[in-house]
């Protein structure tokens, strides 16, 4: 067993031969930028959802008994996944989707146990938790050979890939962690699958897959690339956020910005659970990018903030405007049709996900901006738990959670509003732009019948009733929008 001091002193010697060329630097629009927290061109580690500064802050605040960190930490220690006795159950093949012997619940439970134990180690300094996380991660990297299933295999790759990377990032310096082996598994079995989805969308029309599908796979590509020091893939992921053809890119996910500053979230026309999932995934993407010097939170005049405000207000039962949209479905030569959504879905104000603390603290504390609805819903959801606190089904494990502990921060001593950016790296230049969609721009626990928190796959049983009027048409183009400004 390693002591805290021994673990902290161990550098990434095992990684010295992995992706060496990727450590040359991040090519930025203005030249070569250095990733935050490093003295060379290598990526900052730890540097996915949590930096060294973040981890030190959590430990110091909990030790000092400071609120609300102590409440957030209490949620962590009470979770059964955060216990050092957790025993992994690695599988050779993971399946997700109809028509397959689904066993992906084993994977996501083990991932959350690894993450929660690793986070608990960083707060307490007790090496038994780091050892437990490493044992889980090593077991999977020595066993897993494939992620299979129906189209939902792409969801498994995206969701569990970004989560795997974040759990491993917290123990990458541990002397017993098989870093190179884990990088290979993550890259080949998760990152490559997610990259293929973003490029080909499973052979279907790009718009066949809702926003959360893209965002899950975007998060996986970015997290995998950072974890493996692959700057080309980091650049690709960042560019896709800005210019990607799929519904997860920023202007497609938030196609309309209204005069009141709210940005319509595309999947609000589908149902509340998936809209919350998408906001959480976009926040995760922005946070990981921020920690490597890419300001996507502020991109396009903080467009993500406007979308998050929209979803927060709507989720709390507020009236929001909605512009009708049509998306194309199916695949060329197989089946095609379209779906038109004319109103935001009904909501349950009691429905929640552990996504808001991260977003609220970025905009209000790092940047000093107003985020009224996001702040209100974050307070309502606090203290945020994690996987295992929001029901046993897959939707309760879509986010790593514990934002009250991990993302609560003091207000920055100086802010520059929406132009604030992380230091010192800048976003890379675009690799090329896919045509964006038409856009009109003007400036707890879940409640409900024990259903899954969010069934993310197409063609599955969804645990919410969507009251938006949906008409199935023959043909049609994605998001041919009729501009209507009133709330519906």
């Amino acid at each position: 067993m390693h002591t805290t001091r021994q673990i902290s002193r161990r550098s990434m010697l095992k990684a010295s031969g992995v992706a060496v060329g990727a450590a040359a630097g991040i090519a930025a629009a203005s030249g070569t930028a250095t990733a935050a927290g490093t003295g060379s061109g290598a990526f900052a580690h730890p540097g996915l959802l949590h930096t060294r500064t973040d981890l030190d802050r959590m430990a110091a605040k909990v030790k000092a008994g400071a609120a609300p960190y102590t409440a957030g930490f209490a949620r962590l220690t009470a979770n059964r996944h955060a216990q050092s006795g957790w025993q992994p159950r690695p599988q050779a093949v993971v399946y997700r989707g109809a028509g397959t012997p689904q066993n992906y619940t084993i994977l996501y439970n083990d991932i959350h146990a690894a993450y929660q134990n690793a986070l608990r180690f960083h707060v307490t300094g007790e090496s038994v938790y780091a050892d437990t996380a490493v044992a889980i991660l090593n077991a999977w990297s020595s066993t897993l050979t494939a992620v299979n299933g129906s189209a939902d295999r792409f969801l498994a790759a995206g969701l569990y890939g970004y989560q795997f990377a974040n759990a491993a990032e917290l123990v990458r310096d541990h002397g017993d962690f098989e870093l190179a082996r884990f990088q290979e598994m993550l890259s080949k079995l998760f990152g490559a699958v997610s990259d293929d989805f973003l490029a080909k969308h499973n052979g279907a029309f790009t718009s066949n897959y809702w926003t959360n599908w893209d965002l899950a796979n975007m998060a996986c590509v970015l997290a995998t690339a950072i974890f493996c020091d692959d700057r080309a893939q980091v650049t690709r992921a960042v560019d896709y956020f800005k210019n990607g053809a799929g519904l997860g890119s920023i202007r497609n996910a938030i196609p309309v910005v209204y005069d009141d500053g709210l940005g319509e979230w595309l999947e609000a026309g589908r149902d509340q659970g998936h809209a919350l999932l998408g906001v959480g995934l976009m926040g995760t993407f922005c946070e990981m990018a921020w920690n490597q010097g890419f300001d996507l939170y502020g991109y396009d005049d903080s467009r993500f903030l406007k979308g998050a405000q929209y979803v927060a207000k709507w989720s709390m039962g507020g009236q929001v405007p909605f512009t009708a949209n049509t998306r194309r479905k199916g695949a060329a030569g197989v089946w095609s049709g379209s779906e038109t959504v004319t109103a935001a879905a009904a909501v349950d104000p009691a429905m929640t996900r552990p996504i808001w603390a991260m977003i609220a603290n970025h905009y209000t504390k790092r940047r000093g901006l107003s985020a009224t609805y996001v702040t209100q819903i974050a307070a309502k959801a606090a203290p945020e738990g994690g996987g295992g606190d929001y029901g046993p089904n897959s939707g309760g494990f879509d986010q790593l959670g514990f934002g009250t502990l991990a993302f609560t921060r003091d207000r920055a001593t100086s802010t520059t509003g929406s132009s604030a950016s992380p230091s010192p790296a800048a976003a890379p230049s675009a690799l090329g732009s896919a045509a964006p969609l038409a856009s009109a721009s003007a400036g707890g626990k879940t409640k409900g019948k024990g259903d899954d928190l969010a069934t993310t796959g197409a063609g599955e049983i969804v645990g919410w009733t969507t009251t938006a009027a949906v008409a199935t048409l023959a043909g049609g183009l994605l998001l041919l929008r009729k501009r209507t400004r009133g709330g519906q």
Side-chain angles (χ1 to χ4, degrees):
M1 184 178 297
H2 299 277
T3 66
T4 303
R5 181 170 295 180
Q6 285 173 330
I7 294 171
S8 64
R9 285 183 175 180
R10 300 255 179 131
S11 64
M12 294 183 296
L13 296 179
K14 292 182 181 179
S16 59
V18 180
V20 174
I26 302 174
S30 57
T32 300
T34 302
T38 67
S40 67
F43 290 104
H45 298 294
L48 289 177
L49 284 175
H50 315 299
T51 66
R52 171 55 54 197
T53 298
D54 294 332
L55 296 168
D56 290 346
R57 179 185 65 248
M58 293 178 224
K61 293 289 190 179
V62 170
K63 183 178 180 180
Y69 300 90
T70 50
F73 184 61
R75 293 294 308 265
L76 175 65
T77 58
N79 194 302
R80 71 183 185 91
H81 296 78
Q83 311 309 313
S84 60
W86 188 274
Q87 296 297 313
R89 293 195 293 155
Q91 307 291 304
V93 181
V94 166
Y95 297 93
R96 175 169 178 165
T100 58
Q102 296 190 93
N103 61 351
Y104 68 102
T105 60
I106 298 172
L107 174 59
Y108 66 65
N109 275 281
D110 275 2
I111 291 174
H112 282 255
Y115 172 77
Q116 291 179 28
N117 271 275
L119 193 61
R120 189 168 181 177
F121 158 69
H122 281 285
V123 175
T124 66
E126 297 177 55
S127 59
V128 65
Y129 299 111
D131 294 341
T132 299
V134 167
I136 296 168
L137 299 170
N138 283 347
W140 277 93
S141 68
S142 68
T143 305
L144 187 65
T145 62
V147 178
N148 288 338
S150 65
D152 282 15
R153 69 188 183 277
F154 294 111
L155 290 171
L159 292 168
Y160 311 136
Y162 94 78
Q163 293 175 2
F164 242 156
N166 271 278
E169 182 79 349
L170 293 178
V171 294
R172 66 182 296 139
D173 293 346
H174 192 291
D176 293 335
F177 179 50
E178 295 292 342
L179 176 60
R181 189 175 74 196
F182 196 89
Q183 286 176 316
E184 182 178 13
M185 178 199 71
L186 188 65
S187 178
K188 290 183 177 180
L189 304 187
F190 294 88
V193 173
S194 288
D195 185 80
D196 181 74
F197 178 82
L198 295 177
K200 302 175 183 176
H201 287 91
N202 198 30
F205 297 126
T206 301
S207 58
N208 182 72
Y209 292 96
W210 282 102
T211 300
N212 73 87
W213 287 74
D214 253 26
L215 285 169
N217 286 285
M218 289 162 61
C220 177
V221 170
L222 180 62
T224 299
I226 294 170
F227 187 80
C228 296
D229 292 306
D230 186 341
R231 65 189 175 101
Q233 281 295 88
V234 169
T235 301
R236 169 169 159 71
V238 170
D239 181 67
Y240 194 96
F241 176 92
K242 297 176 179 179
N243 305 303
L247 299 186
S249 61
I250 184 70
R251 292 187 188 90
N252 295 345
I254 309 169
V256 180
V257 173
Y258 295 97
D259 291 333
D260 61 2
L262 296 179
E264 181 178 317
W265 191 264
L266 180 67
E267 220 158 355
R270 182 185 184 189
D271 61 57
Q272 183 185 8
H274 289 101
L276 290 170
L277 169 60
V279 170
L281 288 170
M282 186 171 283
T284 294
F285 191 95
C286 289
E287 184 70 18
M288 294 189 298
W290 175 273
N291 286 333
Q292 297 299 333
F294 302 92
D295 183 13
L296 302 181
Y297 276 119
Y299 182 73
D300 196 15
D301 194 25
S302 296
R303 195 179 189 96
F304 175 49
L305 172 60
K306 296 168 185 176
Q309 285 273 86
Y310 179 100
V311 173
K313 180 180 180 181
W314 166 66
S315 290
M316 291 187 292
Q319 293 296 310
V320 292
F322 193 88
T323 298
N325 64 76
T326 299
R327 68 185 186 98
R328 196 175 186 186
K329 300 167 60 178
V334 179
W335 171 85
S336 63
S338 64
E339 182 179 65
T340 297
V341 181
T342 61
V347 300
D348 176 0
M351 184 181 290
T352 189
R353 283 179 180 266
I355 64 175
W356 296 109
M358 177 174 61
I359 301 167
N361 274 277
H362 173 80
Y363 286 111
T364 65
K365 299 297 179 64
R366 279 185 180 145
R367 305 193 99 112
L369 299 176
S370 174
T372 303
Y373 302 115
V374 168
T375 301
Q376 289 175 2
I377 202 168
K380 185 178 178 182
E384 291 179 353
D389 291 324
Y390 298 88
N393 297 320
S394 61
F397 293 81
D398 286 340
Q399 280 84 29
L400 291 167
F402 301 104
T404 303
L405 169 66
F407 301 110
T408 300
R409 60 186 75 246
D410 297 326
R411 185 178 295 275
T413 54
S414 62
T415 59
T416 55
S418 61
S419 63
S421 61
S423 177
S429 56
L431 300 177
S433 300
L437 301 180
S439 174
S441 179
K445 290 187 179 180
T446 58
K447 178 182 177 183
K449 306 174 185 173
D451 290 322
D452 199 353
L453 184 62
T455 303
T456 46
E460 296 180 349
I461 299 173
V462 179
W464 294 276
T465 300
T466 302
T467 59
V470 177
T472 302
L473 308 174
L477 298 175
L478 170 64
L479 293 179
L480 294 177
R481 311 184 67 87
K482 254 186 207 177
R483 180 70 182 207
T484 59
R485 302 301 289 271
Q488 297 183 43

